[in-house]
Amino acid sequence: MEQAELQKRFAELTCAHVADACLRLQLPVRTVSLTAVFPARIAGRVLPVQHVGSVDLFLEAFGSAEPGDVLVVDNGARRDEACAGDLVAAEAKSAGVSGLVLWGLHRDTVDIKAIGLPVYSLGAMPTGPLRLDPAPTDALQQATVGEWTVTSDDVVLGDEDGIVFIPADRVDELFSLAESIRDTERRQSELIKAGTPLREQVRFDAYLAARAERPGLTFREHLRGVGGAIEE
């Protein structure tokens, strides 16, 4: 999917919708709780890098960036140092990168806000890198964020709920399903506002009766039968 279409379609979705679509399609739900420096969304191909204490790997990664890529930085969730700040954000924006996702901390919060590049991280810290480690041979091929290892074969999405990674070759399928889930949930919400409780919409009494006869029946199985979208 082209970058412009990716951003356009994600603008009408949430990470929660996409996570539910992953679950429905039995794909790993690769979500991470990160917070944006300022309210902003991201959607782009992963540009991975493993931070070793020096900015040179970032500069090298920018040299191969395609417009709209998102720099995804693996700093091992370190809490004693920031791994990126205003200069990295400014250079990223200049290189056409559409955002930063840091499995670690950022600094220069005020300047990052002024630059206007979306940055997601574990939080802020004044201290910069405290060490310089040897660069792994795959430092620009993959990055680990939370429990997930991602590459340029992945797309990263970010909103107010955090981050979700999805396979680049499944984006259209996932978005189509996420849009269907979104539409179902919106209808359910409007019905609740109009006076029809969710319990009535999903025939919850019928579920309880059926479960009494079939103790192994799950609510998700029941929801699939009645066209509900909650929980997945």
Side-chain angles (χ1 to χ4, degrees), residues 51 53-60 62 87-88:
H51 182 58
S54 175
V55 74
D56 63 302
L57 284 177
F58 296 157
L59 302 181
E60 188 173 350
F62 294 150
L87 290 180
V88 173

Side-chain angles (χ1 to χ4, degrees), residues 1 12 31 44 50-51 55 63 74 103 109 121 124-125 165 180 225:
M1 183 180 294
E12 300 298 325
T31 54
Q50 298 172 46
H51 182 58
V55 74
D74 175 4
W103 187 230
T109 300
S121 79
M125 163 72 73
F165 296 103
S180 175

Side-chain angles (χ1 to χ4, degrees), residues 146-161:
E147 61 183 296
W148 314 113
T149 297
V150 295
T151 71
S152 58
D153 291 329
D154 294 301
V155 162
V156 58
L157 308 171
D159 67 9
E160 292 83 354
D161 287 334

Side-chain angles (χ1 to χ4, degrees), residues 15-86:
C15 285
H17 294 137
V18 177
D20 286 352
C22 289
L23 182 63
R24 190 83 63 86
L25 291 176
Q26 298 184 322
L27 292 172
V29 185
R30 297 183 292 168
T31 54
V32 185
S33 180
L34 293 175
T35 303
V37 175
F38 58 90
R41 287 175 151 241
I42 57 170
R45 186 188 71 144
V46 168
L47 182 66
V49 62
Q50 298 172 46
H51 182 58
V52 297
S54 175
V55 74
D56 63 302
L57 284 177
F58 296 157
L59 302 181
E60 188 173 350
F62 294 150
S64 62
E66 297 180 4
D69 282 357
V70 175
L71 186 73
V72 176
V73 179
D74 175 4
N75 200 34
R78 287 182 64 139
R79 295 281 187 169
D80 61 338
E81 64 174 25
C83 60
D86 61 331

Side-chain angles (χ1 to χ4, degrees), residues 194-215:
T196 303
L198 185 62
R199 288 162 294 168
E200 181 178 334
Q201 294 179 47
V202 300
R203 299 174 56 195
F204 194 67
D205 288 344
Y207 163 67
L208 294 178
R211 191 184 65 183
E213 296 181 6
R214 294 172 49 208

